[in-house]
Amino acid sequence: MERSLKRWALALCAAPLALYVVPAFAQDADGSATRAYVSNERSSTVTVVDLGTGKAVAQWPVGKRPRGISMTRDGKYVLICASADNAVEVRDPATGALVATLPSGADPEQFFASHDGKLLYAANEDDGAVTAIDLAARKVAWQVSVGKEPEGIAESPDGKWLLVTSEEDNSVAWIDISTRAVAHETETEARPRHVEFTPDGKQVWIAAEVGGVVHVVDVATQAIVRTIQFAPPGAPDYKVMPCGIRFTPDGRTAVVALGRADSVAVVDAAGGSVRGYVKVGARPWHLAILPGGTSALVANGASDDLSMVDLAALKVTATVPAGEGPWGVALGR
């Protein structure tokens, strides 16, 4: 994986921003999203998709190697992890114009907004750390050291825990936000890449990419209660590499991107059984659940396109061209 040798810098615009944000890969909370914004890490662009027509309507040049992507809570701005630039970009969703650049720590991979809207948490792969960015002041509030090569990051719905995956250490750190210290670690199968809380906050799902599984952890006990395995038709085991996970708004269904298996799995969230698989483009990374909860938009990193998936019919209904290496998806207006 590419490593940037630059150190991060503060590059701030003069005008203040009210940045109250939703999680990376988040869907529009009130179901009124009309556009999707997709980060393309190899071409350093963002593709804008009109959800009404299912067509790409714009492509913006952005910072180097964009990965994590999200919207501000008020829908006014797109936030982008420019990983190789060691920064988080704030952009106008209508034009793609750069509004501000926030400090992020070295090589931000994914980020997550605190539920109270005050902080943006970024996983810094090069530093083995998490950086908390004060959004009002537009500066680093604090940092915590975690395992090597952190990537996936999420805050529990109750605001108590910040979970961060360590790809190299095969573990997930539980940071107690009140003390800003790692209070517990959960060992996982190889190379955990993404962590996602269920909507009710009772469980957290961890995608272990090289291990080929998703661990389901009970938040109250911090214990793994289930490990989900996958067997998409025609894909050998070594190509099953789970990464992005999203839940439908009702919490009943999880959709898991399976990487080199070129498929997504549609999973019953309560029991952990796989309802079915959908063949999508090459190497799906992350996805978003579209308004209404019946479809998903999947970013296919090796085929440079997006798959629109009907979750009930278990089929692709449209394929949309993107930039080179589509990675993350955010929904907005």
Side-chain angles (χ1 to χ4, degrees):
M1 188 175 287
E2 179 186 352
R3 291 287 184 273
S4 172
L5 298 180
K6 298 184 296 179
R7 300 301 302 170
W8 59 271
L10 302 181
L12 306 175
C13 288
L17 294 171
L19 294 177
Y20 296 97
V21 299
V22 290
F25 323 117
Q27 62 203 49
D28 193 75
D30 63 4
S32 62
T34 59
R35 296 175 120 196
Y37 301 88
V38 180
S39 57
N40 303 303
E41 66 169 324
R42 292 201 309 274
S43 58
S44 294
T45 59
V46 164
T47 299
V48 183
V49 178
D50 185 306
L51 296 180
T53 64
K55 295 182 179 180
V57 294
Q59 190 143 229
W60 312 329
V62 297
K64 294 178 182 177
R65 195 166 166 262
R67 287 199 148 193
I69 188 166
S70 186
M71 297 292 299
T72 58
R73 189 174 294 279
D74 58 13
K76 290 184 178 179
Y77 301 105
V78 182
L79 302 180
I80 303 159
C81 267
S83 299
D85 286 340
N86 302 321
V88 172
E89 295 186 342
V90 182
R91 289 187 176 268
D92 183 331
T95 66
L98 182 65
V99 176
T101 305
L102 304 175
S104 67
D107 192 11
E109 293 283 309
Q110 292 191 39
F111 52 21
F112 196 97
S114 64
H115 292 291
D116 63 10
K118 295 179 179 179
L119 298 173
L120 182 66
Y121 301 115
N124 304 127
E125 186 170 58
D126 282 354
D127 281 352
V130 169
T131 298
I133 305 163
D134 183 318
L135 293 174
R138 287 175 284 156
K139 67 180 183 181
V140 172
W142 46 268
Q143 288 186 313
V144 175
S145 294
V146 291
K148 296 178 181 178
E149 293 193 33
E151 180 168 329
I153 186 167
E155 184 189 50
S156 59
D158 62 7
K160 180 178 180 180
W161 299 108
L162 181 66
L163 268 62
V164 187
T165 69
S166 169
E167 296 176 58
E168 188 171 328
D169 292 345
N170 302 329
S171 65
V172 173
W174 295 63
I175 298 173
D176 184 327
I177 294 175
S178 66
T179 64
R180 302 176 187 175
V182 175
H184 178 73
E185 291 187 2
T186 298
E187 293 185 2
T188 70
E189 294 296 328
R191 201 173 173 82
R193 293 294 296 273
H194 185 73
V195 59
E196 190 84 9
F197 282 91
T198 54
D200 63 11
K202 293 181 179 180
Q203 294 182 338
V204 62
W205 289 34
I206 303 166
E209 182 187 39
V210 174
V213 300
V214 167
H215 298 297
V216 179
V217 177
D218 179 85
V219 173
T221 64
Q222 300 175 326
I224 295 174
V225 295
R226 181 179 295 113
T227 295
I228 303 171
Q229 297 180 320
F230 304 95
D237 289 346
Y238 73 89
K239 287 191 173 183
V240 176
M241 306 181 80
C243 190
I245 304 170
R246 293 293 295 165
F247 292 97
T248 54
D250 61 12
R252 295 179 179 178
T253 301
V255 185
V256 183
L258 296 180
R260 290 179 181 171
D262 301 341
S263 302
V264 298
V266 180
V267 183
D268 176 75
S273 60
V274 178
R275 294 176 184 159
Y277 299 95
V278 183
K279 188 81 169 178
V280 292
R283 193 158 187 166
W285 281 112
H286 290 279
L287 62 136
I289 306 298
L290 299 187
T294 60
S295 299
L297 185 64
V298 182
N300 304 310
S303 55
D304 300 339
D305 57 20
L306 311 167
S307 296
M308 196 80 72
V309 176
D310 184 316
L311 300 178
L314 296 177
K315 67 178 183 179
V316 172
T317 57
T319 300
V320 182
E324 296 176 18
W327 198 87
V329 185
L331 302 186
R333 295 183 288 278

